[in-house]
């Protein structure tokens, strides 16, 4: 019997449906025409224009500041959480802890954004970069914790005992053995968190204050004032950053934790 | 300084399981001491208590006269070879070996020298910069040994270090371990469930059962004079006869009528159901009417076509050969007498090879001296489950534990 062609056709249809708009967007960012409909000539005109927009530079700075600080904080907190979850797996407290860590992954963003806003307002915290960063930590931390936890599942803890056996105290063991061995996992989680923070719109939108415009918010407002070619260029840059982070993160996760078997 | 390492009344339980049950034990300096027993008898737990990974419920652990019971693992001058080796995967062979010295903040020059010495000892000078996943199982094993020895521990703990290796490699590492022990002169505490390993390496062995020490002695003592039927069955092969102790032998059968009325308490008659009476050495003075197991090692029995001449204390019984297993340097015979299948091992020699070999279904005579048998208390059904048959016995060949009532359960395991 001839294999059916249907699965192949469906696969291609899905791929087209998902990626064609992105391809068009990227292509258009190199189109010197102001209107997407017709192709004038290939140029970097919009990218150069983008460089000259002070607002965008400012938004980029904000975004990077938020993403970096949220990532660093959530790498520390997420790794600690993963350790607690792994070490005391089975205790009732940790089951609750797991739910708390897991929830941000499935909670509607709009709900998280809104509740965070109400929380900051109730505490009379000045909205701005710091509040956005804090809000980002709440979900970034979950991604780091989950990635590290996955690494811990097949970690041979005899290695920790071996370190102690050889005279290493608690700190030395963490520093010389645990962290180096888990670094790929922590880094992968961190990169994932970084991408999520960079392109987060909904939550940032709720807790942003004056002067703390991030790139996604900037793009949104640019659409309102109508500057499509600039947005195309900006989106392409964001896309490249995000893809790079995701690919590196994937690579790090796929590396087997090299337990000495 | 002879009582170097000492466990005093050490116990440890997990829930209802008594992993280690009031164990007292002393190990001499420089000794190769083995803890031998079936899986789950508490060997690892005892080792981990000494390494400091487990706290005992009761008892103390003394090392060189110093109480180390409450010290954390990193403050004890002992090092462990883990069964999984537990090498640091992110460090090279060199860095693995140097780990202990670096942590102890020893001078760089000294570290270099000591690591180099170790690399020479394990013959891996040219592999120093490889990562653990780039070397073979046997090499990992050697790195694990070097990583521990470089710290000059007072005791080296080894937990089934050869279990993960294939047979050939195991035999080579066995020799290597022995050489290393001779060379460094450190006390070795070796855990294994493999009696062959323990017998060939150890100065002394503690046979463990259900968290307790069943017997402690040199390999020879344990093999030649097992104190219980569990030990007799666990260490090597043996034949068991299930019988009742009868009256002591009359001395005149020994001394030919000098003291006709006297009895010889050293030898007793053993009554066995549907079987000829056997004569047994009874040094433990087991009383008449007690039910015991008589244990006789297969190589202590002789097999022959002709009936051997009757001499004092020689047991002679007739049987039929049921199986002949050629094992290269020796041959194993299975002989049926009544309900019993008896295993006999005979060494080959030029002389024996020349004679016509004994074959299946032949009628033969089995004989052994009463001194070569041991009357031991019967072991429980629980013991039977603990005794693991050596691999060559499992499968088509029936186990060496004889006796009609035993054979079934022993095969079943
Ligand atoms: N961490 C633990 N938790 C619960 N039970 C354990 C633990 N460690 C060992 N045991 C139990 O204690 C007994 C002895 O174990 P172990 O010392 O590992 O035996 P061996 O090394 O002789 O095979 C076993 O019954 C085992 O199931
Ligand atoms: Mg064990």
């Amino acid at each position: 019997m001839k294999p059916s062609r249907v699965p192949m056709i469906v696969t291609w249809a899905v791929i087209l449906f998902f990626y064609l708009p992105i391809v068009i967007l990227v292509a258009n960012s190199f189109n010197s025409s102001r209107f997407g409909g017709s192709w004038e000539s290939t140029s970097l005109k919009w990218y150069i224009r983008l460089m000259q927009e002070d607002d965008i530079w400012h938004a980029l700075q904000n975004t990077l500041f938020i993403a970096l600080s949220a990532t660093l904080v959530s790498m520390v907190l997420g790794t600690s959480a993963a350790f607690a979850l792994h070490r005391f797996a089975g205790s009732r407290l940790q089951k609750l802890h797991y739910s708390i860590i897991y929830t941000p992954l499935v909670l509607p963003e709009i709900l998280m954004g809104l509740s965070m806003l109400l929380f900051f307002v109730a505490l009379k915290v000045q909205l701005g970069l710091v509040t956005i960063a804090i809000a980002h930590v709440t979900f970034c931390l979950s991604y780091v914790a989950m990635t590290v936890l996955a690494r811990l599942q097949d970690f041979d803890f005899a290695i920790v005992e071996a370190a102690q056996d050889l005279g290493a105290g608690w700190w030395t063991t963490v520093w010389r053995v645990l962290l180096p061995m888990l670094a790929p996992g922590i880094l992968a989680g961190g990169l994932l968190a970084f991408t999520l923070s960079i392109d987060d719109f909904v939550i940032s939108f709720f807790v942003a204050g004056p002067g703390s415009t991030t790139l996604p918010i900037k793009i949104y407002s640019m659409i309102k004032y109508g500057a499509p070619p600039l947005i195309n260029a900006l989106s392409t840059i964001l896309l490249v950053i995000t893809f790079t982070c995701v690919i590196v993160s994937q690579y790090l996760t796929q590396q087997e934790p090299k337990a000495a078997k | 300084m002879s009582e170097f390492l000492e466990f005093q009344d050490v116990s440890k339980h997990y829930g209802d399981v008594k992993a280690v049950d009031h164990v007292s034990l002393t190990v001499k300096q420089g000794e190769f001491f083995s803890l031998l027993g079936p899986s789950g008898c508490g060997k690892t737990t005892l080792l981990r208590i000494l390494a400091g990974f487990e706290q005992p419920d009761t008892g103390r652990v003394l090392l060189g006269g110093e109480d180390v019971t409450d010290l954390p693992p990193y403050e004890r001058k002992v090092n462990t070879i883990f069964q999984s080796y537990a090498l640091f995967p992110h460090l090279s062979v060199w860095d693995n070996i140097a780990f202990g010295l670096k942590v102890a903040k020893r001078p760089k020059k000294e570290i270099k020298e000591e690591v180099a010495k170790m690399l020479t000892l394990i013959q891996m000078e040219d592999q120093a910069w490889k990562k653990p996943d780039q070397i073979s199982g046997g090499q990992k094993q050697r790195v694990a040994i070097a990583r521990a020895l470089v710290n000059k521990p007072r005791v080296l703990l080894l937990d089934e270090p050869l279990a993960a290796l294939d047979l050939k490699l195991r035999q080579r590492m066995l020799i290597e371990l022995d050489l290393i022990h001779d060379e460094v002169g450190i006390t070795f505490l070796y855990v294994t469930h493999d009696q062959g390993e323990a017998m060939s390496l150890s100065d002394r062995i503690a046979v463990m059962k259900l968290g307790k020490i069943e017997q402690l002695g040199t390999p020879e003592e344990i093999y030649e004079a097992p104190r219980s039927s569990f030990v007799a069955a666990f260490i090597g092969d043996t034949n068991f006869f299930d019988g009742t102790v009868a009256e002591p032998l009359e001395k005149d059968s020994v001394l030919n009528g000098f003291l006709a009325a006297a009895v010889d308490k050293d030898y007793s008659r053993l009554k066995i159901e549907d079987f000829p009476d056997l004569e047994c050495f009874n040094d433990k003075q087991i009383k008449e009417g007690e039910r015991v197991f008589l244990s006789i090692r297969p190589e202590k029995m002789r097999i022959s076509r002709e009936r051997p001449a009757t001499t004092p204390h020689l047991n002679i019984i007739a049987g039929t050969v049921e199986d002949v297993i050629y094992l290269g340097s020796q041959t194993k015979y299975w002989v049926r007498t009544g309900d019993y299948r008896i295993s006999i091992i005979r060494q080959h020699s030029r002389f024996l090879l020349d004679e016509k070999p004994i074959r299946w279904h032949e009628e033969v005579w089995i004989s052994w001296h009463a001194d070569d048998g041991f009357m031991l208390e019967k072991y429980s059904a629980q013991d039977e489950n603990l005794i693991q048959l050596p691999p060559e016995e499992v499968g088509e060949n029936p186990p060496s534990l004889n006796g009609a009532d035993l054979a079934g359960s022993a095969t079943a395991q």
Side-chain angles (χ1 to χ4, degrees):
Chain A
M1 202 179 80
K2 252 179 80 178
S4 162
R5 279 167 175 253
V6 174
M8 187 64 133
I9 294 168
V10 171
T11 309
W12 277 108
V14 169
I15 289 177
L16 276 183
F17 179 74
F18 274 135
Y19 291 104
L20 195 59
I22 296 179
V23 172
I24 292 172
L25 183 147
V26 173
N28 260 326
S29 73
F30 296 103
N31 184 354
S32 60
S33 160
R34 211 177 148 60
F35 306 99
S38 61
W39 187 270
E40 256 172 33
S41 65
T42 312
S43 83
L44 290 175
K45 177 170 137 194
W46 303 117
Y47 288 90
I48 294 161
R49 277 274 297 281
L50 206 57
M51 302 291 154
Q52 291 156 352
E53 296 262 339
D54 282 349
D55 278 6
I56 288 177
W57 277 108
H58 190 67
L60 181 68
Q61 271 176 24
N62 284 347
T63 304
L64 288 181
F65 170 81
I66 292 164
L68 282 176
S69 40
T71 302
L72 286 179
V73 172
S74 52
M75 272 163 76
V76 174
L77 293 183
T79 306
S80 324
F83 266 102
L85 285 171
H86 183 77
R87 174 73 180 74
F88 304 103
S91 84
R92 212 177 293 158
L93 186 66
Q94 293 306 323
K95 284 198 182 114
L96 179 70
H97 185 185
Y98 187 84
S99 315
I100 293 174
I101 296 278
Y102 191 78
T103 311
L105 302 181
V106 292
L107 211 63
E109 271 189 279
I110 197 146
L111 218 136
M112 280 183 69
L114 188 61
S115 56
M116 217 80 75
L117 174 64
L118 294 176
F119 176 72
F120 288 134
V121 169
L123 287 182
K124 296 201 169 60
V125 178
Q126 173 78 48
L127 294 181
L129 289 182
V130 177
T131 49
I132 301 179
I134 292 174
H136 283 197
V137 167
T138 56
F139 64 89
C140 286
L141 138 76
S142 307
Y143 286 91
V144 177
M146 289 300 149
T147 323
V148 176
L149 192 60
R151 300 283 290 204
L152 284 175
Q153 304 298 354
D154 37 24
F155 185 83
D156 180 9
F157 272 86
I159 288 172
V160 173
E161 287 189 343
Q164 294 187 326
D165 191 72
L166 293 165
W170 195 80
W171 269 113
T172 320
T173 306
V174 169
W175 194 241
R176 283 187 183 257
V177 178
L178 270 182
L179 281 184
M181 284 186 66
L182 291 174
I186 299 171
L187 231 79
L191 278 171
L192 208 59
F194 187 74
T195 38
L196 289 167
S197 169
I198 277 193
D199 64 10
D200 175 76
F201 174 73
V202 179
I203 295 178
S204 308
F205 188 72
F206 273 97
V207 293
S212 64
T213 306
T214 64
L215 269 188
I217 296 176
K218 181 73 194 161
I219 292 176
Y220 176 71
S221 67
M222 277 161 75
I223 291 173
K224 280 204 292 199
Y225 297 112
L230 271 185
I231 297 172
N232 288 347
L234 189 54
S235 305
T236 305
I237 293 174
L238 259 183
L239 196 72
V240 169
I241 296 175
T242 314
F243 258 120
T244 316
C245 287
V246 170
I247 288 167
V248 174
S249 160
Q250 287 268 327
Y251 171 75
L252 288 172
T253 343
Q254 274 162 14
Q255 273 195 323
E256 280 293 303
K258 290 181 258 163
K261 290 268 158 63
Chain B
M1 245 331 225
S2 78
E3 252 129 59
F4 177 62
L5 164 64
E6 199 169 352
F7 291 92
Q8 293 177 343
D9 192 39
V10 171
S11 298
K12 173 82 188 174
H13 70 88
Y14 299 104
D16 291 339
V17 180
K18 278 188 185 159
V20 174
D21 196 3
H22 297 285
V23 166
S24 294
L25 181 68
T26 60
V27 177
K28 299 185 192 110
Q29 184 149 30
E31 200 172 23
F32 198 124
F33 192 97
S34 290
L35 298 170
L36 172 64
S39 163
C41 70
K43 310 177 294 285
T44 298
T45 307
L46 199 56
L47 206 70
R48 289 173 61 82
I49 287 172
L50 174 57
F53 298 126
E54 306 283 350
Q55 270 306 112
D57 302 332
T58 69
R60 316 300 302 169
V61 182
L62 275 69
L63 187 60
E66 183 200 354
D67 188 337
V68 297
T69 321
D70 300 319
L71 290 184
Y74 47 88
E75 283 175 17
R76 300 187 185 203
K77 285 293 289 171
V78 300
N79 287 119
T80 309
I81 312 285
F82 293 84
Q83 190 173 340
S84 62
Y85 315 133
L87 297 181
F88 304 121
H90 60 295
L91 298 180
S92 67
V93 165
W94 196 94
D95 284 313
N96 262 283
I97 299 176
F99 188 91
L101 300 176
K102 279 188 182 167
V103 167
K105 301 211 166 58
R106 303 276 274 279
K108 280 221 167 59
K109 191 163 154 280
E110 187 193 328
I111 295 179
K112 269 194 188 141
E113 285 168 12
E114 292 297 320
V115 174
K117 259 193 239 165
M118 279 298 142
L119 284 168
T120 312
L121 180 75
I122 61 169
Q123 297 165 19
M124 283 182 63
E125 296 99 324
D126 51 340
Q127 325 254 353
W129 300 109
K130 287 194 177 166
K131 289 279 174 69
D133 60 357
Q134 295 168 317
I135 58 178
S136 71
Q139 290 174 328
K140 281 182 197 168
Q141 171 77 75
R142 297 212 289 264
V143 175
I145 293 172
R147 185 179 69 171
L149 283 178
V150 76
N151 304 293
K152 304 209 166 65
R154 311 190 71 171
V155 185
L156 184 69
L157 314 182
L158 305 100
D159 190 356
E160 314 233 6
L162 306 184
L165 303 178
D166 60 50
L167 186 67
K168 263 262 159 56
L169 209 50
R170 201 150 68 216
Q171 287 166 344
R172 240 189 48 211
M173 287 310 298
L174 212 64
I175 298 168
E176 239 164 86
L177 272 179
D178 207 19
L179 290 176
I180 289 174
H181 177 249
D182 289 348
E183 194 159 329
V184 297
I186 288 172
T187 312
F188 278 36
L189 187 60
Y190 190 92
V191 159
T192 181
H193 67 269
D194 183 314
Q195 45 118 355
E197 279 174 26
M199 298 291 279
S200 58
L201 291 170
S202 316
D203 295 317
R204 286 192 304 151
I205 300 175
V207 183
M208 290 185 69
K209 182 181 111 184
L210 298 172
K212 286 198 166 80
I213 292 179
E214 185 86 354
Q215 185 169 0
L216 198 155
T218 64
E220 197 188 342
E221 280 164 8
I222 285 176
Y223 186 81
E224 296 292 339
R227 212 174 293 149
S228 69
S229 43
F230 170 79
V231 175
F234 191 71
I235 314 287
D237 259 359
T238 197
N239 293 290
F240 281 129
F241 296 94
D242 183 359
T244 312
V245 179
E247 76 282 3
L249 291 185
E250 285 181 9
K251 212 143 202 160
D252 63 354
S253 64
V254 189
L255 297 177
N256 250 336
F258 275 107
L259 284 162
V263 286
D264 186 348
K265 284 223 172 75
D266 280 350
Y267 292 89
S268 291
R269 205 175 291 285
L270 190 72
K271 289 209 176 299
I272 301 165
E273 221 175 298
D274 300 327
F275 205 78
D277 284 0
L278 298 177
E279 212 174 287
C280 306
F281 185 52
N282 188 2
D283 58 335
K284 291 182 211 129
Q285 310 290 329
I286 298 174
K287 294 207 181 59
E288 260 186 79
E290 296 267 338
R291 293 201 62 179
V292 294
F293 272 167
L294 173 66
S295 156
I296 306 147
R297 302 276 184 201
E299 73 280 6
K300 306 279 186 198
M301 295 180 151
R302 265 174 301 276
I303 181 169
S304 56
R305 278 204 195 82
E306 316 293 325
R307 190 183 198 284
T310 311
T311 52
H313 304 312
L314 192 69
N315 288 300
I316 305 169
I317 52 178
T320 314
V321 177
E322 271 196 349
D323 242 321
V324 181
I325 303 163
Y326 180 73
L327 296 170
S329 63
Q330 55 198 24
T331 300
K332 188 167 195 169
Y333 301 92
W334 290 96
V335 176
R336 163 132 344 245
T337 303
D339 285 340
Y340 287 92
R341 252 171 86 84
I342 301 162
S343 75
I344 299 146
I345 283 185
R346 187 158 84 167
Q347 297 293 328
H348 295 156
S349 66
R350 197 63 234 157
F351 170 72
L352 290 171
L353 282 178
D354 284 343
E355 90 184 39
K356 196 172 143 245
I358 294 172
R359 297 194 186 284
W360 280 19
H361 306 310
E362 273 194 61
E363 303 293 327
V364 291
W365 294 94
I366 307 169
S367 56
W368 72 92
H369 194 274
D371 286 1
D372 284 330
F374 290 92
M375 289 203 282
L376 304 165
E377 98 291 356
K378 290 182 66 160
Y379 64 56
S380 59
Q382 193 182 31
D383 289 356
E384 273 171 49
N385 293 329
L386 293 176
I387 297 165
Q388 293 189 342
L389 298 167
E392 53 156 326
E393 302 293 334
V394 182
E396 55 205 274
N397 304 319
S400 60
L401 307 179
N402 289 283
D405 53 345
L406 268 181
S409 48
T411 322
Q413 87 77 30

